């Protein structure tokens, strides 16, 4: 009886670990996929850009180190 309980417990533990790992990987892939889609959607158009604070990120406007670069998205093409 103890062996059956131990086997059932181990099986449940393995199934839980497999489910957790499979869902965790999908979230990482989904986040990376969304970042890539946003980067492609942004394109190289001239959108309003603001550099905020001081930190380690390069500001594309004046090439200073800033905390954050904020941009807006537009559906219109600007050629």
């Amino acid at each position: 009886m103890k062996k059956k309980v131990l086997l059932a417990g181990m099986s449940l533990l393995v199934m839980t670990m497999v489910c957790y790992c499979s869902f965790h990987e999908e979230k990482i892939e989904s986040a990376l996929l969304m970042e890539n889609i946003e980067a492609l959607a942004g394109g190289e158009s001239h959108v309003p850009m603001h550099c905020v604070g001081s930190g380690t990120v390069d500001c594309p406007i004046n090439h200073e180190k800033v905390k954050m670069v904020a941009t807006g998205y537009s559906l219109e093409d600007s050629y």
Side-chain angles (χ1 to χ4, degrees):
M1 182 67 176
K2 287 184 180 180
K3 288 184 180 180
K4 289 182 181 180
V5 171
L6 181 62
L7 181 62
M10 292 297 286
S11 299
L12 182 63
L13 179 65
V14 169
M15 288 174 48
T16 303
M17 289 175 54
V18 168
C19 290
Y20 174 75
C21 291
S22 66
F23 288 128
H24 183 66
E25 288 178 12
E26 288 178 13
K27 289 181 183 177
I28 293 173
E29 290 173 0
S30 296
L32 181 60
L33 178 64
M34 290 306 293
E35 286 180 19
N36 286 338
I37 290 172
E38 288 176 5
L40 291 172
E44 296 181 8
S45 63
H46 302 288
V47 294
M49 188 175 307
H50 306 284
C51 298
V52 180
S54 63
T56 58
V57 178
D58 288 328
C59 178
I61 297 171
N62 55 10
H63 303 290
E64 293 181 2
K65 298 290 185 181
V66 295
K67 183 176 182 181
M68 179 176 59
V69 177
T71 60
Y73 288 104
S74 174
L75 297 177
E76 298 176 7
D77 290 333
S78 56
Y79 293 102

XYZ file of all heavy atoms in Angstrom:
595
model
N 0.820 -1.183 0.000
C 0.000 0.000 0.000
C 0.871 1.256 0.000
O 0.572 2.238 -0.676
C -0.917 -0.041 1.233
C -1.857 1.106 1.339
S -3.055 1.051 0.005
C -4.067 2.393 0.427
N 1.976 1.222 0.807
C 2.864 2.372 0.861
C 3.496 2.636 -0.497
O 3.709 3.785 -0.885
C 3.956 2.146 1.906
C 3.472 2.240 3.327
C 4.634 2.096 4.289
C 4.161 2.182 5.721
N 5.273 2.050 6.663
N 3.829 1.575 -1.228
C 4.456 1.745 -2.538
C 3.500 2.405 -3.523
O 3.902 3.247 -4.319
C 4.919 0.389 -3.082
C 6.113 -0.176 -2.372
C 6.578 -1.468 -3.008
C 7.773 -2.027 -2.273
N 8.255 -3.280 -2.870
N 2.211 2.059 -3.447
C 1.235 2.662 -4.348
C 1.056 4.136 -4.046
O 0.966 4.961 -4.952
C -0.108 1.933 -4.234
C -0.096 0.559 -4.834
C -1.455 -0.091 -4.746
C -1.449 -1.490 -5.327
N -2.765 -2.129 -5.239
N 1.016 4.500 -2.778
C 0.873 5.899 -2.383
C 2.106 6.690 -2.797
O 2.010 7.801 -3.324
C 0.615 6.023 -0.861
C 0.676 7.476 -0.405
C -0.715 5.394 -0.494
N 3.290 6.117 -2.580
C 4.533 6.770 -2.963
C 4.606 6.941 -4.482
O 4.983 8.011 -4.980
C 5.729 5.961 -2.459
C 7.107 6.545 -2.759
C 7.261 7.903 -2.069
C 8.201 5.598 -2.321
N 4.221 5.928 -5.227
C 4.232 6.003 -6.692
C 3.237 7.045 -7.192
O 3.554 7.832 -8.093
C 3.895 4.633 -7.298
C 3.895 4.555 -8.815
C 5.276 4.856 -9.365
C 3.429 3.186 -9.279
N 2.068 7.109 -6.596
C 1.066 8.106 -6.989
C 1.564 9.511 -6.671
O 1.397 10.441 -7.468
C -0.254 7.834 -6.271
N 2.191 9.699 -5.527
C 2.731 11.001 -5.150
C 3.840 11.447 -6.084
O 3.899 12.613 -6.505
N 4.734 10.545 -6.426
C 5.827 10.870 -7.345
C 5.288 11.189 -8.733
O 5.769 12.115 -9.393
C 6.831 9.705 -7.409
C 7.594 9.494 -6.121
S 8.616 10.909 -5.684
C 9.908 10.741 -6.859
N 4.293 10.449 -9.185
C 3.687 10.709 -10.488
C 3.042 12.087 -10.522
O 3.183 12.835 -11.491
C 2.642 9.650 -10.824
O 3.232 8.378 -10.893
N 2.340 12.432 -9.461
C 1.713 13.745 -9.367
C 2.759 14.856 -9.372
O 2.593 15.879 -10.043
C 0.860 13.823 -8.096
C 0.093 15.130 -7.877
C -0.917 15.341 -9.002
C -0.598 15.117 -6.540
N 3.859 14.657 -8.671
C 4.943 15.636 -8.623
C 5.558 15.832 -10.015
O 5.773 16.963 -10.453
C 6.008 15.189 -7.623
C 7.217 16.102 -7.490
C 6.791 17.451 -6.907
C 8.273 15.474 -6.621
N 5.820 14.744 -10.721
C 6.402 14.824 -12.065
C 5.449 15.523 -13.025
O 5.854 16.394 -13.807
C 6.788 13.419 -12.582
C 7.140 13.453 -14.051
C 7.942 12.856 -11.762
N 4.165 15.198 -12.953
C 3.187 15.835 -13.844
C 3.088 17.335 -13.553
O 2.984 18.145 -14.475
C 1.818 15.165 -13.678
C 1.766 13.776 -14.272
S 0.220 12.890 -13.951
C -1.014 14.062 -14.366
N 3.144 17.709 -12.291
C 3.093 19.126 -11.918
C 4.308 19.864 -12.457
O 4.183 20.966 -13.003
C 3.027 19.274 -10.386
O 1.900 18.550 -9.904
C 2.926 20.724 -9.990
N 5.486 19.280 -12.349
C 6.704 19.912 -12.843
C 6.671 20.066 -14.360
O 7.076 21.095 -14.890
C 7.928 19.101 -12.406
C 8.203 19.201 -10.921
S 9.551 18.136 -10.345
C 10.878 18.608 -11.408
N 6.188 19.060 -15.069
C 6.116 19.125 -16.526
C 5.149 20.223 -16.963
O 5.453 21.015 -17.857
C 5.697 17.758 -17.115
C 5.331 17.877 -18.579
C 6.820 16.748 -16.926
N 3.993 20.309 -16.326
C 3.018 21.350 -16.669
C 3.570 22.732 -16.384
O 3.419 23.654 -17.182
C 1.717 21.136 -15.907
S 0.795 19.695 -16.463
N 4.227 22.924 -15.249
C 4.782 24.227 -14.888
C 5.849 24.655 -15.900
O 5.853 25.797 -16.361
C 5.380 24.192 -13.489
C 6.082 25.471 -13.128
C 5.360 26.610 -12.792
C 7.468 25.551 -13.147
C 5.991 27.789 -12.481
C 8.110 26.733 -12.839
C 7.367 27.846 -12.507
O 8.003 29.018 -12.211
N 6.731 23.732 -16.256
C 7.812 24.072 -17.191
C 7.264 24.407 -18.570
O 7.741 25.331 -19.226
C 8.810 22.934 -17.288
S 9.776 22.715 -15.782
N 6.260 23.699 -19.029
C 5.722 23.964 -20.361
C 5.010 25.311 -20.407
O 5.140 26.055 -21.378
C 4.784 22.850 -20.801
O 3.634 22.821 -19.984
N 4.270 25.686 -19.365
C 3.603 26.992 -19.345
C 4.608 28.120 -19.188
O 4.464 29.179 -19.766
C 2.576 27.070 -18.217
C 1.346 26.252 -18.473
C 0.900 25.347 -17.537
C 0.648 26.383 -19.660
C -0.240 24.585 -17.770
C -0.490 25.635 -19.903
C -0.929 24.739 -18.960
N 5.664 27.920 -18.422
C 6.674 28.950 -18.195
C 7.406 29.271 -19.498
O 7.673 30.426 -19.794
C 7.656 28.487 -17.123
C 8.683 29.508 -16.772
N 8.350 30.685 -16.160
C 10.020 29.540 -16.968
C 9.445 31.400 -15.981
N 10.474 30.725 -16.453
N 7.742 28.280 -20.296
C 8.433 28.503 -21.563
C 7.548 29.263 -22.541
O 8.026 30.115 -23.280
C 8.865 27.172 -22.174
C 10.011 26.516 -21.433
C 10.385 25.181 -22.028
O 9.915 24.866 -23.135
O 11.143 24.455 -21.381
N 6.262 28.991 -22.565
C 5.360 29.681 -23.480
C 5.285 31.167 -23.160
O 5.219 31.999 -24.043
C 3.965 29.063 -23.418
C 3.888 27.695 -24.058
C 2.508 27.088 -23.934
O 1.564 27.809 -23.569
O 2.375 25.897 -24.199
N 5.308 31.529 -21.885
C 5.247 32.930 -21.501
C 6.486 33.671 -21.974
O 6.397 34.791 -22.444
C 5.099 33.063 -19.988
C 3.749 32.654 -19.478
C 3.656 32.819 -17.982
C 2.315 32.334 -17.475
N 2.229 32.417 -16.014
N 7.653 33.053 -21.853
C 8.887 33.686 -22.306
C 8.855 33.864 -23.814
O 9.185 34.929 -24.329
C 10.115 32.855 -21.876
C 10.263 32.892 -20.355
C 11.377 33.372 -22.552
C 11.319 31.975 -19.826
N 8.438 32.842 -24.544
C 8.371 32.937 -25.994
C 7.350 33.985 -26.420
O 7.576 34.727 -27.368
C 8.035 31.583 -26.598
C 9.158 30.565 -26.469
C 8.748 29.191 -26.930
O 7.592 29.009 -27.350
O 9.588 28.290 -26.867
N 6.226 34.062 -25.731
C 5.204 35.034 -26.079
C 5.711 36.454 -25.851
O 5.468 37.336 -26.669
C 3.942 34.811 -25.244
O 3.385 33.545 -25.541
N 6.430 36.683 -24.765
C 6.962 38.020 -24.480
C 7.984 38.410 -25.534
O 7.972 39.543 -26.037
C 7.579 38.054 -23.090
N 8.853 37.488 -25.899
C 9.858 37.770 -26.921
C 9.201 38.011 -28.267
O 9.587 38.928 -29.010
C 10.854 36.615 -27.014
C 11.987 36.774 -28.028
C 12.818 38.007 -27.685
C 12.853 35.539 -28.023
N 8.188 37.236 -28.597
C 7.472 37.412 -29.848
C 6.800 38.782 -29.902
O 6.887 39.481 -30.914
C 6.418 36.313 -30.012
C 5.554 36.380 -31.267
C 6.416 36.205 -32.514
C 4.484 35.320 -31.217
N 6.175 39.205 -28.805
C 5.522 40.514 -28.774
C 6.531 41.651 -28.909
O 6.275 42.650 -29.581
C 4.707 40.672 -27.494
C 3.479 39.787 -27.456
S 2.405 39.989 -28.897
C 1.840 41.640 -28.655
N 7.710 41.523 -28.293
C 8.739 42.548 -28.432
C 9.194 42.659 -29.886
O 9.405 43.760 -30.393
C 9.924 42.243 -27.531
C 9.655 42.495 -26.071
C 10.850 42.182 -25.200
O 11.981 42.125 -25.730
O 10.661 41.997 -23.994
N 9.349 41.519 -30.547
C 9.760 41.536 -31.952
C 8.684 42.163 -32.836
O 8.994 42.930 -33.752
C 10.074 40.122 -32.445
C 11.381 39.607 -31.908
O 12.242 40.388 -31.522
N 11.525 38.302 -31.876
N 7.424 41.852 -32.581
C 6.333 42.423 -33.365
C 6.279 43.929 -33.172
O 6.128 44.688 -34.130
C 4.986 41.756 -32.996
C 4.974 40.312 -33.501
C 3.821 42.547 -33.566
C 3.793 39.512 -33.029
N 6.442 44.389 -31.933
C 6.429 45.824 -31.668
C 7.598 46.521 -32.346
O 7.458 47.618 -32.875
C 6.453 46.085 -30.167
C 5.157 45.742 -29.482
C 5.234 45.928 -27.971
O 6.280 46.417 -27.483
O 4.256 45.599 -27.303
N 8.757 45.875 -32.352
C 9.920 46.474 -32.998
C 9.708 46.580 -34.504
O 10.054 47.594 -35.119
C 11.167 45.641 -32.702
N 9.129 45.565 -35.102
C 8.865 45.612 -36.542
C 7.757 46.599 -36.872
O 7.802 47.284 -37.890
C 8.486 44.221 -37.059
C 9.619 43.198 -37.055
C 9.072 41.819 -37.396
C 10.703 43.597 -38.038
N 6.766 46.701 -36.016
C 5.663 47.625 -36.258
C 6.114 49.070 -36.127
O 5.605 49.961 -36.814
C 4.520 47.352 -35.285
N 7.084 49.317 -35.242
C 7.584 50.671 -35.051
C 8.297 51.196 -36.279
O 8.213 52.369 -36.606
N 9.006 50.326 -36.974
C 9.717 50.733 -38.180
C 10.789 51.765 -37.906
O 11.278 51.911 -36.793
N 11.153 52.500 -38.937
C 12.176 53.524 -38.808
C 11.597 54.900 -39.073
O 12.295 55.802 -39.524
C 13.314 53.225 -39.776
C 14.038 51.933 -39.458
C 15.176 51.655 -40.417
O 15.496 52.548 -41.225
O 15.731 50.568 -40.359
N 10.338 55.074 -38.823
C 9.703 56.361 -39.068
C 10.102 57.356 -37.988
O 10.630 57.000 -36.948
C 8.183 56.210 -39.111
O 7.730 55.770 -37.862
N 9.830 58.625 -38.245
C 10.173 59.684 -37.307
C 9.000 59.908 -36.355
O 8.073 60.631 -36.666
C 10.507 60.962 -38.059
C 11.632 60.770 -39.015
N 12.933 60.618 -38.589
C 11.667 60.668 -40.361
C 13.713 60.456 -39.632
N 12.962 60.479 -40.726
N 9.062 59.261 -35.219
C 8.010 59.403 -34.215
C 8.537 60.281 -33.085
O 9.743 60.372 -32.871
C 7.565 58.028 -33.659
C 6.910 57.206 -34.726
C 8.733 57.285 -33.061
N 7.657 60.942 -32.369
C 8.109 61.760 -31.240
C 8.864 60.906 -30.222
O 8.451 59.793 -29.914
C 6.819 62.287 -30.634
C 5.768 62.066 -31.645
C 6.215 60.977 -32.539
N 9.986 61.422 -29.731
C 10.825 60.660 -28.820
C 11.244 61.567 -27.661
O 11.593 62.726 -27.873
C 12.051 60.159 -29.574
C 12.907 59.215 -28.810
S 14.250 58.560 -29.814
C 13.389 57.933 -31.232
N 11.212 60.996 -26.442
C 11.605 61.750 -25.262
C 12.569 60.910 -24.438
O 12.334 59.732 -24.213
C 10.386 62.086 -24.392
C 9.301 62.794 -25.137
N 9.382 64.118 -25.462
C 8.120 62.358 -25.639
C 8.297 64.476 -26.119
N 7.508 63.418 -26.249
N 13.663 61.515 -23.994
C 14.627 60.847 -23.127
C 14.432 61.374 -21.713
O 14.353 62.577 -21.497
C 16.041 61.120 -23.603
S 16.349 60.494 -25.269
N 14.367 60.438 -20.741
C 14.018 60.811 -19.375
C 15.093 60.328 -18.404
O 15.546 59.190 -18.489
C 12.658 60.190 -18.977
C 12.284 60.563 -17.570
C 11.582 60.590 -19.957
N 15.480 61.181 -17.473
C 16.361 60.809 -16.373
C 17.800 60.585 -16.783
O 18.221 60.922 -17.886
N 18.573 60.026 -15.873
C 19.959 59.674 -16.168
C 20.156 58.226 -15.764
O 19.703 57.785 -14.713
C 20.923 60.583 -15.409
O 20.766 60.410 -14.027
N 20.817 57.473 -16.641
C 20.992 56.043 -16.395
C 21.989 55.436 -17.343
O 23.022 56.042 -17.636
N 21.653 54.261 -17.905
C 22.605 53.531 -18.739
C 22.124 53.315 -20.164
O 22.790 52.643 -20.937
C 22.883 52.150 -18.111
O 21.649 51.438 -17.996
C 23.528 52.281 -16.750
N 20.988 53.882 -20.539
C 20.439 53.703 -21.882
C 20.880 54.879 -22.758
O 20.864 56.020 -22.328
C 18.894 53.640 -21.829
C 18.316 53.498 -23.224
C 18.443 52.502 -20.949
N 21.300 54.588 -24.002
C 21.706 55.651 -24.921
C 20.489 56.331 -25.516
O 19.611 55.681 -26.072
C 22.562 55.092 -26.061
C 23.941 54.685 -25.594
O 24.451 55.333 -24.659
O 24.500 53.738 -26.160
N 20.451 57.656 -25.423
C 19.376 58.439 -26.027
C 19.718 58.661 -27.496
O 20.791 59.172 -27.817
C 19.228 59.771 -25.310
S 17.946 60.810 -26.031
N 18.837 58.283 -28.440
C 19.134 58.458 -29.852
C 19.129 59.924 -30.307
O 19.639 60.230 -31.365
C 18.030 57.680 -30.573
C 17.089 57.210 -29.549
C 17.606 57.547 -28.215
N 18.580 60.815 -29.515
C 18.514 62.220 -29.902
C 19.861 62.901 -29.703
O 20.428 63.489 -30.613
C 17.421 62.956 -29.088
C 16.056 62.349 -29.400
C 17.431 64.445 -29.400
C 14.940 62.858 -28.505
N 20.400 62.830 -28.479
C 21.643 63.538 -28.185
C 22.757 62.598 -27.715
O 23.809 63.059 -27.292
C 21.389 64.620 -27.135
C 20.741 64.064 -25.890
O 20.631 62.864 -25.720
N 20.298 64.955 -25.021
N 22.552 61.293 -27.752
C 23.539 60.260 -27.417
C 24.075 60.379 -25.995
O 25.222 60.072 -25.725
C 24.682 60.267 -28.431
C 24.208 60.074 -29.830
N 23.702 58.873 -30.284
C 24.127 60.945 -30.872
C 23.349 59.013 -31.553
N 23.589 60.260 -31.941
N 23.246 60.826 -25.058
C 23.598 60.857 -23.648
C 23.008 59.624 -22.970
O 22.099 58.992 -23.484
C 23.044 62.120 -22.984
C 23.684 63.388 -23.465
C 23.122 64.613 -22.766
O 22.249 64.466 -21.881
O 23.546 65.721 -23.117
N 23.538 59.289 -21.812
C 23.032 58.157 -21.040
C 21.799 58.604 -20.255
O 21.847 59.561 -19.504
C 24.094 57.646 -20.065
C 25.340 57.125 -20.746
C 25.054 55.842 -21.465
C 26.340 55.264 -22.034
N 26.131 54.049 -22.763
N 20.669 57.916 -20.473
C 19.409 58.267 -19.827
C 18.808 57.033 -19.173
O 19.254 55.915 -19.413
C 18.403 58.879 -20.834
C 18.927 60.193 -21.369
C 18.098 57.915 -21.946
N 17.764 57.243 -18.372
C 17.085 56.137 -17.707
C 16.101 55.443 -18.643
O 15.981 54.230 -18.658
C 16.345 56.639 -16.471
C 15.666 55.547 -15.683
C 15.030 56.072 -14.424
C 14.399 54.947 -13.643
N 13.754 55.441 -12.420
N 15.375 56.241 -19.463
C 14.337 55.662 -20.301
C 14.151 56.502 -21.559
O 14.262 57.716 -21.518
C 13.021 55.629 -19.520
C 11.855 55.068 -20.289
S 10.338 54.924 -19.308
C 10.053 56.591 -18.800
N 13.876 55.837 -22.670
C 13.544 56.500 -23.925
C 12.096 56.161 -24.242
O 11.739 54.998 -24.406
C 14.454 56.030 -25.080
C 14.048 56.678 -26.377
C 15.903 56.322 -24.762
N 11.242 57.171 -24.303
C 9.816 56.976 -24.566
C 9.511 57.441 -25.987
O 9.931 58.511 -26.401
C 8.985 57.753 -23.568
N 8.803 56.596 -26.733
C 8.401 56.946 -28.089
C 6.910 56.721 -28.246
O 6.313 55.936 -27.522
C 9.132 56.090 -29.136
O 8.825 54.726 -28.904
C 10.632 56.293 -29.080
N 6.323 57.388 -29.204
C 4.921 57.188 -29.521
C 4.798 56.436 -30.836
O 5.689 56.496 -31.676
N 3.736 55.711 -31.009
C 3.503 54.975 -32.243
C 2.458 55.696 -33.079
O 1.531 56.305 -32.567
C 3.011 53.553 -31.951
C 4.104 52.680 -31.403
C 4.160 52.371 -30.053
C 5.081 52.172 -32.226
C 5.153 51.584 -29.540
C 6.091 51.376 -31.723
C 6.116 51.082 -30.392
O 7.121 50.295 -29.898
N 2.613 55.620 -34.367
C 1.679 56.273 -35.274
C 1.309 55.312 -36.387
O 2.147 54.519 -36.840
C 2.312 57.530 -35.872
O 1.461 58.080 -36.845
N 0.072 55.365 -36.858
C -0.353 54.509 -37.956
C -0.096 55.148 -39.313
O -0.276 54.516 -40.342
C -1.841 54.179 -37.807
C -2.187 53.382 -36.549
C -3.706 53.192 -36.475
C -1.514 52.036 -36.551
N 0.309 56.398 -39.325
C 0.580 57.082 -40.565
C 2.039 56.951 -40.947
O 2.920 57.008 -40.091
C 0.229 58.575 -40.421
C -1.228 58.819 -40.116
C -1.513 60.286 -39.893
O -0.613 61.117 -40.109
O -2.638 60.602 -39.497
N 2.302 56.779 -42.240
C 3.672 56.726 -42.706
C 4.194 58.152 -42.888
O 3.499 59.026 -43.386
C 3.767 55.999 -44.056
C 3.496 54.514 -43.891
O 3.751 54.011 -42.787
O 3.045 53.889 -44.854
N 5.435 58.381 -42.482
C 6.025 59.692 -42.701
C 7.261 59.512 -43.567
O 8.297 59.063 -43.114
C 6.392 60.346 -41.360
O 7.251 59.501 -40.645
N 7.124 59.779 -44.830
C 8.237 59.608 -45.772
C 8.949 60.905 -46.006
O 8.451 61.950 -46.026
C 7.732 59.057 -47.105
C 7.216 57.651 -46.986
C 5.863 57.377 -46.933
C 8.102 56.598 -46.915
C 5.390 56.094 -46.822
C 7.633 55.307 -46.802
C 6.291 55.050 -46.756
O 5.828 53.783 -46.654
